[in-house]
């Protein structure tokens, strides 16, 4: 019986460590996303913010956004 108990305790401790690591990663990701969100809010025009708020209130999906234009210096491959 003690063997079963110690095995279960070991398994639980192991699972707790995995969950702690996942929580840590999620907190870091959340922080990163909050920073990105704040940056995007500061860069968005009042019209864009109003449009986004309207979409949130109506529950409609956001319009297909065009990806930001990439500078010409960032090619998809080597130019040599």
């Amino acid at each position: 019986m003690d063997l079963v108990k110690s095995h279960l305790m070991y398994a639980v401790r192991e699972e707790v460590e995995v969950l702690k690591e996942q929580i840590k990663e999620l907190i870091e990701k959340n922080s990163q996303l909050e920073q990105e969100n704040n940056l995007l809010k500061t860069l968005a025009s009042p019209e864009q913010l109003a449009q986004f708020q309207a979409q949130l209130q109506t529950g409609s999906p956001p319009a297909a956004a065009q990806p930001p234009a990439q500078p010409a210096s960032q090619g998809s491959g080597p130019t040599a």
Side-chain angles (χ1 to χ4, degrees):
M1 192 64 174
D2 283 339
L3 182 61
V4 171
K5 182 179 176 181
S6 89
H7 179 71
L8 285 174
M9 290 299 291
Y10 177 78
V12 168
R13 283 190 202 105
E14 212 171 76
E15 186 67 20
V16 166
E17 290 303 315
V18 169
L19 292 172
K20 282 182 179 179
E21 185 63 30
Q22 287 178 345
I23 289 169
K24 179 181 167 189
E25 291 170 3
L26 289 171
I27 288 171
E28 290 172 1
K29 176 128 180 144
N30 187 47
S31 176
Q32 176 187 359
L33 291 172
E34 284 177 348
Q35 289 176 356
E36 182 181 344
N37 188 34
N38 289 331
L39 175 64
L40 291 172
K41 282 181 182 178
T42 60
L43 296 176
S45 68
E47 295 83 16
Q48 289 171 321
L49 289 174
Q51 181 184 18
F52 182 69
Q53 289 294 333
Q55 288 173 347
L56 285 178
Q57 291 172 355
T58 61
S60 63
Q66 294 179 352
Q70 294 196 3
S73 64
Q74 292 182 346
S76 60
T79 56

